Amino acid sequence: MKFTAFLKTRGATAAIFMGIFYAVAMLGIFLPGYTAIPGNVDKLPIAIINDDAGKNGAMIAENLQESLPFKEIETDITNKQALKDLEHNDLALVVHIPKTFSENIQKGEASSSIDFTINEAGATVVSSTMNSVVTEINNQLSTQFSQQTAQGVLMNFNVPEKQAAELAEKIEKSNVGNVVTINEIPDGMNHNMLPMFLTMAGYVGAMIGAMQLVGAFRASRGKASKTRLFTYVQMAALLIAVVSSIIAVGVAYLIDKPSGDLFFGIAGQQILNYMVCFNFTAILIFLFGEGGMILNLPILLMQTIANGATITRDMMHAPYEWMSHISPMYYSVQAYFANLFGSISPSPYIWSMAAVGAVAMLINMAIAAFLHKPMPVQISETEVEKKAAEITA
């Protein structure tokens, strides 16, 4: 056989096609998706709450609204509600100017600090970006108010105003910013990425499992009814989900060491994650056979951006944002963030993921029922002999 003939074989042509297809799909999906960083940072919603009774708070709030590069800045909201929204990642940053800010600035008291609150239990780009923004704001505010604070202190000791202004320049810069971090994640990218890696481990395993089990479904037609075979497929997937999830969570505990009381909750979510992803990816395989795997690959790649582990929905370009609403990976990642590091219930995300899985299973049932032609069930020789024996008896 010549090399040119070998290249024309089915295996070689398939390998060539997949090499080109995967390269185009991966670069064509990842590169446009990540142009949202930092291009869409201005779409992140923040809140600025000014409770200051004096003039300084109003001035700072106005300056921040004009200078910060965010299009959506909420001001008509209480600090309590803003912090609640931050817990749910509906806000990226909460800036709170306390009631006695101006008064304390004049007295030079440390309690004059402005609170900048950031939620770490969310997309990594958001927390890192907000930390950079807060650092820059703090530098500007410290420079702006250090002289004013020191001057006020010196004048309280009856130092002439002119002399007080000169002495103020020599006083160390005052700190007017207090960074508050809620739901802190332990140091190490392995902790930040655990929600995404757990989800992807289940998704990829489920996608490959769907190809194998749907293939078994097709190969076994005629040996049992479609209903029974479909039930077998789901039972086999559930068995794999339980075994693989316990092992996956065990590995996560060996490396990341989450809290022990979360084990069963994480394991339960991982089992659900596998089953939802299994039925989600099985749709295309039930429709197109092995060719469905080719279509599943770009959908998987798209969800690695749309799952919200790196960037939030607010930053995503439209196709990725649309995908996040039907993506099992998005709801799984957000549920893991809430469960592992957050202080809110993961239930809304769990129920949303379960709804995606239920719809996917119904679609698979419909495909199996109406698009796969029924085949007469073949009776094995053992069953024939058994029935013959019953008739003879």
Side-chain angles (χ1 to χ4, degrees):
M1 174 185 272
K2 293 182 178 180
F3 180 63
T4 53
F6 177 79
L7 289 178
K8 294 178 182 179
T9 61
R10 183 179 178 182
T13 54
I16 294 169
F17 172 79
M18 287 305 297
I20 297 171
F21 176 80
Y22 192 77
V24 172
M26 187 169 185
L27 295 174
I29 291 172
F30 277 9
L31 294 182
Y34 282 113
T35 59
I37 308 170
N40 288 353
V41 167
D42 61 344
K43 294 184 179 180
L44 292 173
I46 70 169
I48 300 175
I49 300 96
N50 175 31
D51 290 332
D52 183 24
K55 296 180 180 180
N56 287 321
M59 179 183 68
I60 290 176
E62 184 178 350
N63 288 341
L64 288 177
Q65 289 182 62
E66 293 177 356
S67 61
L68 288 178
F70 302 109
K71 296 178 180 178
E72 187 177 343
I73 301 178
E74 293 191 40
T75 54
D76 298 328
I77 187 173
T78 64
N79 188 50
K80 182 178 179 180
Q81 182 60 46
L83 292 176
K84 184 177 179 181
D85 291 345
L86 182 69
E87 290 272 5
H88 290 80
N89 286 314
D90 294 328
L91 290 172
L93 172 68
V94 174
V95 181
H96 179 231
I97 306 172
K99 185 177 181 179
T100 58
F101 179 75
S102 291
E103 180 183 347
N104 292 336
I105 279 286
Q106 294 300 322
K107 294 179 181 178
E109 295 182 2
S111 56
S112 62
S113 294
I114 299 172
D115 288 334
F116 299 92
T117 309
I118 302 167
N119 183 9
E120 283 198 353
T124 54
V125 167
V126 174
S127 58
S128 61
T129 300
M130 290 303 108
N131 273 303
S132 299
V133 169
V134 170
T135 299
E136 181 62 28
I137 294 173
N138 263 335
N139 290 338
Q140 294 179 8
L141 290 179
S142 293
T143 302
Q144 180 178 355
F145 282 95
S146 60
Q147 185 172 346
Q148 181 179 341
T149 302
Q151 185 173 334
V153 172
L154 293 171
M155 289 178 67
N156 287 337
F157 287 97
N158 298 319
V159 179
E161 182 176 354
K162 184 177 180 181
Q163 186 178 353
E166 293 173 354
L167 291 173
E169 295 179 355
K170 300 179 181 179
I171 294 179
E172 185 178 357
K173 292 182 178 180
S174 60
N175 179 26
V176 295
N178 178 38
V179 181
V180 180
T181 302
I182 61 174
N183 303 325
E184 290 191 35
I185 297 177
D187 292 336
M189 281 296 291
N190 55 307
H191 296 289
N192 291 80
M193 301 307 292
L194 180 58
M196 180 175 174
F197 288 160
L198 274 171
T199 298
M200 287 197 69
Y203 191 102
V204 174
M207 183 173 69
I208 296 172
M211 181 181 69
Q212 300 296 334
L213 290 178
V214 174
F217 171 89
R218 290 171 175 269
S220 301
R221 288 174 60 200
K223 298 179 182 179
S225 66
K226 288 192 296 182
T227 301
R228 176 172 291 188
L229 288 175
F230 187 86
T231 303
Y232 288 167
V233 166
Q234 296 296 326
M235 290 173 61
L238 180 59
L239 176 62
I240 299 168
V242 172
V243 175
S244 65
S245 295
I246 292 174
I247 294 173
V249 175
V251 172
Y253 266 81
L254 285 173
I255 299 172
D256 279 30
K257 299 178 176 61
S259 174
D261 58 358
L262 297 176
F263 181 86
F264 291 105
I266 296 172
Q269 181 184 328
Q270 189 71 1
I271 293 170
L272 175 64
N273 174 47
Y274 185 98
M275 291 302 297
V276 172
C277 295
F278 174 84
N279 281 283
F280 184 81
T281 56
I283 293 174
L284 292 174
I285 300 174
F286 269 116
L287 282 173
F288 305 112
E290 292 184 0
M293 277 295 289
I294 298 175
L295 299 176
N296 269 325
L297 283 174
I299 294 175
L300 166 63
L301 295 175
M302 197 167 187
Q303 287 183 84
T304 58
I305 295 176
N307 64 34
T310 306
I311 60 178
T312 65
R313 275 180 176 167
D314 301 295
M315 294 178 65
M316 295 176 191
H317 296 305
Y320 303 89
E321 194 268 334
W322 296 335
M323 172 60 75
S324 72
H325 290 283
I326 62 169
S327 163
M329 285 183 68
Y330 176 84
Y331 298 113
S332 177
V333 167
Q334 301 311 309
Y336 275 133
F337 269 125
N339 201 5
L340 287 165
F341 310 116
S343 51
I344 60 173
S345 172
S347 297
Y349 302 113
I350 295 291
W351 283 111
S352 296
M353 181 166 58
V356 171
V359 172
M361 181 181 286
L362 289 174
I363 293 173
N364 286 327
M365 291 172 65
I367 295 171
F370 300 111
L371 296 186
H372 288 259
K373 295 180 180 180
M375 294 180 64
V377 178
Q378 300 173 0
I379 302 176
S380 65
E381 293 182 4
T382 304
E383 291 177 334
V384 171
E385 293 173 359
K386 185 178 179 181
K387 287 188 177 182
E390 290 176 353
I391 294 172
T392 303

